Amino acid sequence: MSFHRRDVMAGAGALAVAGLMPAAARAADRVSKRPAPAQRNFTSPAIEAEIARVKAKIADPELAWLFENCYPNTLDTTVQTGTIDGKPDTFVLTGDIEAMWLRDSSAQVQPYVHLVAKDAKLKRLFQGLIQRQARCILIDPYANAFDKDPTAPSRLEWSQTDQTEMKPGVAERKWEIDSLCYPMRLSHEYWKRTRDKAPFDNIWSRAMALAVETFRVQQRKEGPGPYHFQRKALAPTDSLMLGGYGSPTKKIGLIHSMFRPSDDACLYPFLIPSNLFAVSALRQMATVQREARGDAKAAAEAEALAAEVEGVLKQHALVPDGAGGQVWAYEIDGFGNWVFMDDANVPSLSGLALIDAADRNDPLFRRTAALAWSERNPYFFSGKAAEGIGGPHIGLDMIWPMSIITRAMNADDDATILQCLRWLKTTHGGTGFMHESFNKDDPTNFTRSWFAWANALFGQLIVEIADKRPALLAQPL
């Protein structure tokens, strides 16, 4: 199934009008939405045991049903495993789009990484994904999404006439800093859990070196660099101004990101959440280079870039919060212009702690996240169904469940977490899955019925609550 990420699932709204899709599922309708066992793309005994363990702690039947549907959704429906040159290979669809995003694929398997040591098959899946991501980066470090066949042209309808250097194997070529950060973080998470050197071969090392070099080129200290992108589209956020190089900047040492993790063009090319992510991801990758490969030189180069970017962020990316304090800007241009907002897609200002780009107890992060969850953020919406953050990708009044999940993960108080769980429980439109977005007043008006990243993040939230705050799940919502 292939359609633009911006397209709304109009069929869901039509069903709602006909009264055929309640916002919450009735007890009789709460049958498993998982494929039959023989039709699942990948099965893991460790994952099945985890589902049973966590579900047993959930008193609310609908929340338990949502968890059982969502948590294994990536493995059930999007994972394709095999071998390349005798080594494991794992390709992970984003869901209803037949391509693999470097960002999404990393986030989709994140909820399973704590179980890799318990399941050799799951461990091989992670080895294959780390290797596949490395090969993708070597095809084109500026691409955000890739086809399974590295020799094939893009199959995505909206990429066919893009004015950029499209290479075989590339599905979409929107330059986003986080596309390179997520594989770095995934590598570190896997290494930390397993101490397994197998996926960190010369292919991986070459890909990481290219990623660091790409970051340096996109500091644009010595010119605009090779990347440019333009698209004929009705949405201005699908293309870049000034010949495809984006808005002008003062070269202060930050890394330019032409697009946000939503795949929307940046207003100002210094995207602060993504630069903060680069700082942490570079240091994580350096740890793997040093410990798994004994490559002190590569580690030092990554750490030097991280230190440089971190220093510039502290100097240029802090802005007034309107109450006498400071918060992180969302984007800046280096000339003194900045915008404060937030977008649900991670890296976001609200999601920095989820990706190790900020300490969740850091006062600066807490102030920034709190301001993002307010009317100071033009993409914060409050309605009859819920409140949360969206973004320009879908449009106004559309809340992304990802933002509600992020808020719950950031929260320290039970009341906030329970409120987020209630919103998530009552806004799936009767489908049993998380969506890309839903209307703030009508959750049956939603986009993307098969969006594995949101399902995975929801599953991760429930596992974390089950382990850290089990009392919250031991009562009906």
Side-chain angles (χ1 to χ4, degrees):
M1 184 177 182
S2 177
F3 54 84
H4 198 292
R5 292 182 67 170
R6 197 180 301 275
D7 288 348
V8 174
M9 297 292 290
L15 288 173
V17 171
L20 300 177
M21 184 181 287
R26 296 167 297 185
D29 297 330
R30 287 198 293 267
V31 297
S32 174
K33 293 299 185 77
R34 299 182 66 184
Q39 297 174 339
R40 294 171 188 170
N41 286 23
F42 186 94
T43 56
S44 161
I47 297 298
E48 297 303 320
E50 185 76 338
I51 294 171
R53 179 186 74 85
V54 174
K55 188 178 178 183
K57 297 185 177 185
I58 306 174
D60 189 287
E62 188 160 2
L63 191 68
W65 175 66
L66 283 168
F67 171 72
E68 187 172 19
N69 293 334
C70 292
Y71 185 64
N73 184 246
T74 289
L75 300 182
D76 284 351
T77 66
T78 71
V79 167
Q80 301 173 8
T81 59
T83 59
I84 292 181
D85 297 330
K87 296 181 179 181
D89 173 56
T90 305
F91 188 84
V92 182
L93 295 173
T94 185
D96 46 33
I97 305 174
E98 293 191 19
M100 185 179 89
W101 265 251
L102 293 176
R103 168 186 56 255
D104 292 46
S105 61
S106 301
Q108 284 168 241
V109 301
Q110 177 65 29
Y112 314 133
V113 70
H114 68 291
L115 298 171
V116 288
K118 297 182 179 181
D119 188 335
K121 188 179 176 185
L122 188 64
K123 184 177 180 181
R124 185 176 174 86
L125 180 149
F126 274 82
Q127 291 174 340
L129 181 55
I130 291 168
Q131 284 275 291
R132 166 67 75 151
Q133 291 179 338
R135 289 193 296 272
C136 287
I137 292 169
L138 290 173
I139 290 173
D140 187 353
Y142 289 105
N144 56 327
F146 295 83
D147 292 310
K148 185 175 183 180
D149 183 353
T151 66
S154 175
R155 300 171 60 189
L156 301 185
E157 297 174 10
W158 57 88
S159 296
Q160 299 304 309
T161 59
D162 289 348
Q163 297 177 31
T164 189
E165 186 184 354
M166 289 291 288
K167 298 177 181 179
V170 170
E172 186 172 62
R173 195 174 191 251
K174 287 185 171 179
W175 162 236
E176 303 162 7
I177 291 174
D178 68 283
S179 292
L180 299 181
C181 295
Y182 269 103
M184 294 178 182
R185 181 171 183 265
L186 179 66
S187 294
H188 180 259
E189 285 287 306
Y190 178 81
W191 170 248
K192 183 173 65 175
R193 299 280 182 176
T194 67
R195 314 304 286 185
D196 172 29
K197 298 181 180 180
F200 307 117
D201 59 6
N202 289 336
I203 291 175
W204 179 85
S205 184
R206 284 170 49 216
M208 294 302 103
L210 181 58
V212 174
E213 175 60 21
T214 302
F215 283 161
R216 286 211 173 273
V217 169
Q218 285 304 314
Q219 288 178 296
R220 299 191 180 183
K221 294 178 180 179
E222 299 177 2
Y227 179 80
H228 57 87
F229 180 98
Q230 288 180 298
R231 173 180 291 172
K232 295 180 180 179
L234 292 176
T237 52
D238 265 340
S239 191
L240 298 175
M241 62 186 295
L242 298 179
Y245 290 94
S247 301
T249 57
K250 184 177 182 180
K251 308 309 181 281
I252 56 177
L254 292 183
I255 305 165
H256 294 69
S257 189
M258 294 297 96
F259 291 89
R260 300 167 178 166
S262 59
D263 300 334
D264 294 331
C266 292
L267 176 63
Y268 298 130
F270 295 140
L271 180 57
I272 301 309
S274 290
N275 270 268
L276 286 164
F277 192 14
V279 171
S280 64
L282 284 164
R283 287 172 173 157
Q284 290 175 330
M285 186 268 287
T287 296
V288 182
Q289 287 279 26
R290 183 175 286 112
E291 296 179 358
R293 293 186 53 82
D295 193 337
K297 182 175 183 295
E301 289 175 355
E303 288 167 340
L305 178 56
E308 178 187 355
V309 173
E310 182 178 46
V312 180
L313 283 165
K314 291 177 179 178
Q315 183 178 358
H316 291 276
L318 294 172
V319 298
D321 66 357
Q326 288 185 311
V327 293
W328 290 114
Y330 187 71
E331 292 172 353
I332 69 173
D333 66 358
F335 291 109
N337 300 302
W338 54 274
V339 60
F340 181 86
M341 54 164 279
D342 208 14
D343 187 300
N345 288 262
V346 180
S348 59
L349 292 176
S350 301
L352 291 174
L354 274 63
I355 51 175
D356 311 311
D359 186 318
R360 65 188 304 276
N361 296 314
D362 174 32
L364 173 59
F365 165 68
R366 305 297 288 191
R367 284 196 306 274
T368 302
L371 196 61
W373 195 272
S374 77
E375 293 182 355
R376 179 64 179 79
N377 173 14
Y379 295 102
F380 172 77
F381 310 117
S382 181
K384 298 176 182 177
E387 61 182 42
I389 297 170
H393 191 74
I394 298 300
L396 299 179
D397 297 330
M398 299 297 286
I399 294 170
W400 290 53
M402 191 177 298
S403 72
I404 299 174
I405 298 167
T406 298
R407 180 167 176 79
M409 287 181 164
N410 286 338
D412 289 323
D413 62 293
D414 291 353
T416 297
I417 297 171
L418 286 171
Q419 178 62 78
C420 289
L421 289 177
R422 293 187 186 103
W423 283 330
L424 293 167
K425 172 188 168 181
T426 57
T427 57
H428 61 88
T431 66
F433 291 102
M434 297 295 107
H435 302 128
E436 179 185 53
S437 69
F438 63 87
N439 183 273
K440 65 184 179 67
D441 296 316
D442 178 12
T444 65
N445 176 8
F446 61 81
T447 61
R448 298 193 70 182
S449 58
W450 180 19
F451 185 35
W453 182 9
N455 288 327
L457 196 62
F458 173 77
Q460 182 179 340
L461 168 66
I462 299 301
V463 171
E464 289 185 6
I465 295 174
D467 291 341
K468 299 175 182 178
R469 297 171 182 262
L472 298 186
L473 299 180
Q475 56 184 308
L477 294 178

